[in-house]
Amino acid sequence: GESVGLHLPTLSVQEGDNSIINCAYSNSASDYFIWYKQESGKGPQFIIDIRSNMDKRQGQRVTVLLNKTVKHLSLQIAATQPGDSAVYFCAEGNTGKLIFGQGTTLQVKP
Amino acid sequence: SAVISQKPSRDICQRGTSLTIQCQVDSQVTMMFWYRQQPGQSLTLIATANQGSEATYESGFVIDKFPISRPNLTFSTLTVSNLSPEDSSIYLCSAREGFSGNTIYFGEGSWLTVV
């Protein structure tokens, strides 16, 4: 039958504000989590990762938080810029392969 | 970080034909994967490409439709067979360096349109 495309959730923020993108994962046995950024017409670009023995990891302008109790992952982007506009995917890893979440579209308003 | 190149980057194919996508990594990698991204959707894992043996397919994907080869540690191909318009998608190759926990990188994708 015909498949219907999913409507990705959208987060709209003002340039310079902080952004928080949330993700719920499904497998409590997942031991590795990654955030990717996908710009229009391009493949996913690695942003930051975190292992299950950590609850926070920081990169340049980005922070990933992991709450294993409620199986929740978040990506915080500080001082959001127009170049941050993209679709953001979380992915959970187990036995080496990644399962992707639905994705969130981040729109940065000038 | 591994650099992953895919060919073709885009193609338009007739229904009933097949398309083979090549994936080349600039360094030896332990694991390679193929994903499909349908329009407006997230990425779905098709299979793990195993070096020197048959690929491991995910539920809903079969070897007859998506034959995969991986002759060495840097190269893999995905063929999408007997094309139909429903196969119009982005097909993405990814690779992981080292063992579990190492970053997984993606190519830019191969954009397939079936007419």
Side-chain angles (χ1 to χ4, degrees):
Chain A
E2 183 177 351
S3 64
V4 179
L6 294 174
H7 175 68
L8 298 179
T10 299
L11 175 65
S12 185
V13 300
Q14 203 70 39
E15 181 179 356
D17 287 352
N18 296 333
S19 302
I20 300 176
I21 302 172
N22 296 303
C23 177
Y25 64 92
S26 58
N27 188 351
S28 56
S30 293
D31 57 5
Y32 182 54
F33 304 88
I34 306 181
W35 281 99
Y36 288 94
K37 171 186 180 183
Q38 188 175 28
E39 296 174 283
S40 180
K42 297 187 176 181
Q45 176 188 355
F46 170 84
I47 301 173
I48 192 168
D49 59 2
I50 188 168
R51 302 203 69 171
S52 60
N53 60 353
M54 303 171 67
D55 53 22
K56 180 179 180 178
R57 190 165 186 221
Q58 289 184 291
Q60 186 179 13
R61 273 201 315 119
V62 295
T63 301
V64 56
L65 298 177
L66 175 63
N67 184 330
K68 294 180 288 295
T69 302
V70 294
K71 293 190 286 187
H72 184 266
L73 192 67
S74 68
L75 177 70
Q76 299 178 0
I77 304 174
T80 311
Q81 302 169 0
D84 295 326
S85 294
V87 178
Y88 289 80
F89 292 100
C90 67
E92 56 182 302
N94 188 18
T95 66
K97 58 187 182 184
L98 291 179
I99 305 300
F100 279 75
Q102 185 183 27
T104 297
T105 300
L106 177 64
Q107 296 177 340
V108 182
K109 296 178 288 186
Chain B
S1 63
V3 176
I4 302 174
S5 303
Q6 287 185 231
K7 287 194 298 186
S9 56
R10 291 182 182 272
D11 209 341
I12 300 172
C13 298
Q14 296 290 326
R15 66 179 70 198
T17 64
S18 297
L19 176 71
T20 295
I21 302 166
Q22 298 180 0
C23 177
Q24 179 73 55
V25 189
D26 69 343
S27 60
Q28 292 187 341
V29 292
T30 54
M31 298 186 76
M32 295 182 73
F33 307 91
W34 286 97
Y35 285 82
R36 180 176 73 183
Q37 187 174 26
Q38 295 177 301
Q41 297 193 31
S42 185
L43 286 76
T44 301
L45 180 62
I46 298 172
T48 302
N50 298 310
Q51 194 260 327
S53 64
E54 190 172 291
T56 304
Y57 290 85
E58 298 297 308
S59 176
F61 297 96
V62 296
I63 188 171
D64 289 348
K65 177 67 175 178
F66 299 98
I68 288 170
S69 77
R70 189 180 172 193
N72 57 50
L73 292 176
T74 64
F75 185 79
S76 178
T77 67
L78 167 72
T79 299
V80 189
S81 303
N82 191 23
L83 290 167
S84 68
E86 290 73 29
D87 295 320
S88 297
S89 291
I90 309 167
Y91 292 88
L92 293 141
C93 174
S94 69
R96 188 184 71 189
E97 297 173 318
F99 298 98
S100 179
N102 288 57
T103 303
I104 298 177
Y105 296 96
F106 281 82
E108 290 296 340
S110 298
W111 302 63
L112 170 63
T113 301
V114 182
V115 296

